[in-house]
């Protein structure tokens, strides 16, 4: 769990530093920072899609996953419940936007998924330390725009990576390169959607798309069973 603890601490540290640096910044510069964050998030998402789409074994799977997952997420109103949970917080709507972006950025990635498995099975924390370094920078930037509330993403990450760490022996055989490609591809789409929201071009309700992550494992389980 050392790697996960370090990763959690870097997000808390980055959130503190970023929120401290944001004090005294005028609204004009905060708006410019939101624009920069939005473009950076779209860029990171686009890079993930471009990098993973050519490696996909089933190029239409991510489209089907998004369609199925979004219908389920919309029916459950995940985004609505999440926003309601943070509604009473200072700057609740903005915090919800930033926090959802942070959670996707910190948790839905190859390093954050494979890192706890590598740590548990082989005692190797390299993936998690690398992820922690990137999350330190990202949390500093996000909290400078959205405030210290971004630190809540550290709790989500700890529970996420901690669960993977505990069940590493069980889930490791099923996390094939093909499945990880599909999950990374969806993660890229989610980040692009979040970036579009930060830029205030359209509220895509990215959290409602999260059930899409369940579709690739189900598909690969079906394919494996039929072989």
């Amino acid at each position: 769990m050392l790697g996960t603890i370090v990763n959690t601490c870097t997000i808390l540290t980055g959130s503190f530093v970023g929120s401290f640096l944001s004090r005294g910044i005028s609204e004009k510069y905060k708006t410019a920072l939101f624009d920069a964050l939005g473009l950076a998030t779209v860029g990171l998402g686009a890079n993930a899609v471009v990098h993973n789409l050519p490696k996909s074994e089933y190029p239409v799977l991510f489209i089907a996953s998004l369609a199925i997952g979004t219908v389920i997420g919309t029916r459950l109103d995940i985004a609505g419940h999440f926003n309601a949970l943070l509604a009473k917080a200072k700057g609740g709507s903005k915090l919800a936007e930033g926090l959802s972006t942070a959670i996707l950025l910190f948790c839905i990635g190859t390093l954050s998924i494979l890192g706890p498995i590598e740590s548990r099975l082989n005692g190797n924390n390299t993936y998690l330390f690398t992820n922690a370094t990137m999350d330190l920078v990202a949390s500093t930037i996000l909290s400078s725009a959205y405030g210290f509330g971004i630190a809540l993403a550290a709790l989500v990450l700890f529970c996420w990576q901690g669960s993977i760490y505990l069940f590493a022996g069980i889930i490791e055989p099923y996390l094939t390169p093909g499945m990880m490609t599909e999950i990374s591809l969806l993660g890229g789409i989610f980040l692009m959607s979040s970036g579009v929201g930060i830029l205030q071009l359209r509220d895509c309700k990215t959290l409602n798309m999260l059930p899409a992550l369940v579709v690739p494992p189900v598909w690969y389980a079906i394919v494996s069973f039929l072989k």
Side-chain angles (χ1 to χ4, degrees):
M1 288 287 286
L2 175 62
T4 293
I5 292 172
V6 170
N7 202 165
T8 302
C9 289
T10 57
I11 294 174
L12 292 173
T13 301
S15 299
F16 175 79
V17 172
S19 61
F20 178 79
L21 293 176
S22 69
R23 297 176 183 177
I25 298 179
S26 67
E27 196 62 33
K28 177 177 69 173
Y29 292 106
K30 286 187 178 181
T31 300
L33 186 56
F34 279 124
D35 290 340
L37 276 173
L39 290 172
T41 305
V42 170
L44 288 171
N47 179 67
V49 172
V50 170
H51 180 71
N52 288 285
L53 188 55
K55 299 189 295 184
S56 176
E57 296 176 308
Y58 308 99
V60 183
L61 180 57
F62 84 97
I63 300 175
S65 299
L66 284 171
I68 296 171
T70 301
V71 168
I72 295 173
T74 300
R75 179 68 182 84
L76 297 174
D77 193 19
I78 298 174
H81 291 306
F82 183 76
N83 290 334
L85 185 64
L86 297 176
K88 295 182 180 180
K90 182 179 180 181
S93 60
K94 277 293 183 183
L95 176 59
E97 178 182 76
L99 193 54
S100 63
T101 301
I103 291 171
L104 293 171
L105 189 60
F106 298 155
C107 298
I108 310 302
T110 302
L111 293 177
S112 193
I113 296 173
L114 294 182
I117 295 176
E118 185 70 13
S119 177
R120 174 66 183 272
L121 299 182
N122 301 315
N124 180 11
N125 288 304
T126 302
Y127 284 176
L128 289 176
F129 289 159
T130 302
N131 199 57
T133 302
M134 294 189 296
D135 288 351
L136 174 64
V137 176
S139 59
T140 300
I141 296 173
L142 285 167
S143 61
S144 67
Y146 294 102
F148 187 69
I150 294 298
L152 291 172
L155 176 61
V156 177
L157 176 126
F158 182 81
C159 294
W160 170 254
Q161 290 188 358
S163 298
I164 295 175
Y165 182 90
L166 290 175
F167 296 101
I170 299 174
I171 65 177
E172 189 269 340
Y174 302 101
L175 291 179
T176 63
M179 188 189 299
M180 288 306 303
T181 294
E182 300 300 332
I183 291 175
S184 297
L185 184 53
L186 289 171
I189 297 292
F190 296 160
L191 286 177
M192 291 175 65
S193 175
S194 294
V196 168
I198 294 173
L199 292 171
Q200 298 184 350
L201 297 176
R202 182 179 177 83
D203 182 6
C204 298
K205 295 186 177 4
T206 309
L207 291 179
N208 283 346
M209 302 178 187
L210 288 182
L213 292 170
V214 179
V215 179
V218 171
W219 171 257
Y220 274 87
I222 293 172
V223 170
S224 177
F225 177 76
L226 293 176
K227 285 183 178 179

